[in-house]
Every structure is written in structure tokens, then in C-alpha cells.
Amino acid sequence: QTAQTNWGELIRAAATNASLKHAYWPEIERVVAEQIRSARMGLGKGAWQLFVEDGEMKMYRREVEEDGLVVDPLKATHQVKGITGRELCHYFFYPEYRYDWEGTLETMNIVDKIAEDTILFHQIHKRIWPAAQRDATFWSHLTHVPDEENKSEDSPHMWATVNNSVELPSHPPNGGKQVRIYLTIILMGQTIISPAAKGREIKRDDITCKITYCAVVNPGGWAPSSVLRAVYKREYPKFLKRFTAYVLEKTKNLPIKL
Ligand code: 6CM
């Protein structure tokens, strides 16, 4: 059934009017739908290699190079008890929390708040020796597919944030002293409610968030492959552990937002 799901239609239904009216919308809809489809696809027969396993967290990558640059696609899955997909994507999307959990960040600027669910960012990331410092310009879109009745693994319900690079005339690449990186990232969360909670009030113990995180980052300019792969191997698990721990901490005493 999921194969037939018209994600474009579902994403449109969730979007604010301000997002729908924006010139970026067709691209946002296309990229978000494509990211959701591939995030839900599982690992299939592709050459995914498991490179990190830590409890429920599993990270896979495919080794890919373009013009001599490492652009290894990453796919990670995780399960965290006590938070919802909505909460997960809330803390990932809204800029006021970013410095709390984003360890690779030097500065984050909001270039334009297009809508409540779409924001344009310029970020400068920490320099990693011996490569030059990197920056990125991207739109970020928060979406969801509701399904209050049937929060099971097969139902299409989910929350997602997608970040995708975009050229901004106000921030040309190499306008500063950084090398521009290009990224496409999705963080998706599905809330699974334990059947034991049926007919009573749901507690945090009854919910599990099934997380999928996929990233493709093109470093944009020279960076030694071995260093880059070592950086990713260290930074991606660090990010997902730190970020989910952060969401758990922020929400533990708050009412559950399904
Ligand atoms: O998805 C993550 N963060 C989002 C919010 O900041 C956003 C950011 C993506 C940027 C990811 C790239 C950071 C790596 C910078 C260094 C690049 C190469 C240097 C050369 C080294 C030899 O989507 C979490 C991102 C977790 C990053 C591992």
C-alpha cells in the first residue's frame, strides 16, 4: 500500500498556505516526497554496509565518490522509548534549539522565515583540520501525515523534517572564506503506541519513536577521503545519540504531543 501512497498530496495537505504560495514549493514538495519514500524503503538489496551499531541505533553507508569527493549516503535507524515523532521533529526543525544539540555548528543564521513550516538557513560549520571550513545554505521543511486511529508501523503516519541545499543570491558560495557543502537530509519519526495503553491514558512508557535519518553531504571541495569518512563515523552517531537524549530530556515532564 505504501508504494502507492501519494506523498506529494499528503505533504501538500499538511503545508501552510505561506509555504504553498512560495516559489520554492514545487521543489520542496518533490524533494520531501522523494526523501520520505526512500527513508521508508528500508535497506533493500543496495550495497549498504553497517558501520555503527549501538543498542537500537544502526548506521549504514554506501561508499560513493563523485569527482574524487566522498559523498557516501548515510542511512540510520533508531528506536527511542518515551518520545513521539512530532517531538523529535519539533526540536530538529525549530532554530531556537539548534545550538543546544548541533555539535558541528559554528553559526546559524535564519535567512528567511518563509512560513511556520519552512525556514531558510545559512550555517557555518566548525572547521575540521586539515580541510577548509564549510558553510551551507538550505531550506528546511517540517511536515507530517496524520493517522490518529492507527499508529502502527505499516500506517503512513509520520513526522519529518527535510533539509535541502538551495542557492541563495544573498549568500553566494565562497562568498566568505568557507567552502560550500551541499546536503540533503531527512529526519523522520513514527510513533508506535503499545497496545497495552488501549482504553487508558497514554504514558511516556507506552510510546516508542521509530527514527530514520538519511543524509547525503557533498563536501563541495577538497577534503581527504579517509579523514572525511573518519569524521562521519564519529559525528553521525554522536549527533543521533546526543540529539535524541536532548529530546528525551526536554520532553520528560511535558504532556505527550502525539
Ligand atoms: O542533520 C544535522 N544537522 C542539521 C542542522 O544543522 C543540518 C546540517 C547538516 C550539515 C552536516 C555537515 C556537517 C559536517 C561539516 C564538515 C564537512 C567536511 C569537512 C572536511 C573534513 C575533512 O542538516 C546533523 C548533522 C550531523 C553531522 C555529522
Side-chain angles (χ1 to χ4, degrees):
Q1 246 137 351
T2 322
Q4 271 112 43
T5 306
N6 185 340
W7 292 106
E9 197 174 293
L10 295 171
I11 295 157
R12 231 167 13 249
T16 60
N17 277 327
S19 285
L20 294 170
K21 278 195 307 215
H22 197 274
Y24 288 164
W25 180 257
E27 207 223 358
I28 294 175
E29 186 183 302
R30 181 181 59 79
V31 174
V32 173
E34 181 186 284
Q35 287 300 305
I36 293 173
R37 226 174 275 125
S38 80
R40 294 178 65 108
M41 205 139 64
L43 296 160
K45 289 192 200 65
W48 292 100
Q49 38 170 287
L50 181 70
F51 72 104
V52 175
E53 190 168 10
D54 187 345
E56 290 293 336
M57 185 173 81
K58 293 184 182 66
M59 295 196 158
Y60 306 83
R61 69 160 182 228
R62 278 193 291 126
E63 294 198 358
V64 178
E65 297 190 14
E66 268 170 27
D67 304 323
L69 296 178
V70 169
V71 292
D72 297 357
L74 170 105
K75 182 159 192 154
T77 58
H78 197 6
Q79 283 199 35
V80 177
K81 214 176 155 168
I83 60 172
T84 69
R86 181 178 184 179
E87 291 162 342
L88 182 88
C89 291
H90 175 94
Y91 292 99
F92 189 73
F93 176 74
Y94 288 103
E96 57 266 43
Y97 310 111
R98 193 151 310 157
Y99 284 109
D100 293 348
W101 59 264
E102 176 56 280
T104 73
L105 202 58
E106 188 137 316
T107 58
M108 174 206 70
N109 283 300
I110 299 169
V111 177
D112 189 7
K113 185 165 179 186
I114 291 176
E116 196 47 48
D117 54 352
T118 308
I119 303 175
L120 293 183
F121 290 100
H122 175 238
Q123 290 192 166
I124 300 176
H125 290 270
K126 285 182 181 155
R127 178 172 181 238
I128 296 165
W129 185 89
Q133 190 166 44
R134 261 55 180 179
D135 74 344
T137 53
F138 59 94
W139 52 252
S140 185
H141 181 66
L142 175 66
T143 188
H144 71 284
V145 173
D147 188 349
E148 298 310 325
E149 301 303 311
N150 175 26
K151 287 201 190 317
S152 70
E153 291 194 35
D154 322 317
S155 100
H157 91 275
M158 53 98 213
W159 281 79
T161 298
V162 175
N163 295 342
N164 189 53
S165 281
V166 65
E167 305 267 341
L168 300 176
S170 57
H171 296 75
N174 307 315
K177 53 178 167 44
Q178 298 88 20
V179 174
R180 179 63 47 89
I181 58 170
Y182 297 92
L183 55 94
T184 304
I185 283 171
I186 180 168
L187 178 71
M188 186 175 85
Q190 282 178 284
T191 311
I192 310 297
I193 302 172
S194 153
K198 230 187 168 85
R200 62 161 168 82
E201 195 197 345
I202 298 166
K203 301 206 172 53
R204 289 210 172 264
D205 255 1
D206 302 319
I207 56 177
T208 300
C209 186
K210 262 195 70 181
I211 301 168
T212 307
Y213 175 82
C214 304
V216 181
V217 177
N218 184 317
W222 179 83
S225 300
S226 58
V227 178
L228 206 50
R229 289 201 167 107
V231 167
Y232 291 159
K233 191 169 178 169
R234 183 182 72 222
E235 295 299 328
Y236 281 123
K238 204 162 119 187
F239 147 67
L240 202 53
K241 280 181 90 167
R242 182 177 176 181
F243 175 68
T244 50
Y246 176 73
V247 178
L248 267 167
E249 179 60 30
K250 289 293 267 191
T251 53
K252 66 177 185 204
N253 296 319
L254 297 178
I256 299 168
K257 278 183 122 186
L258 283 174

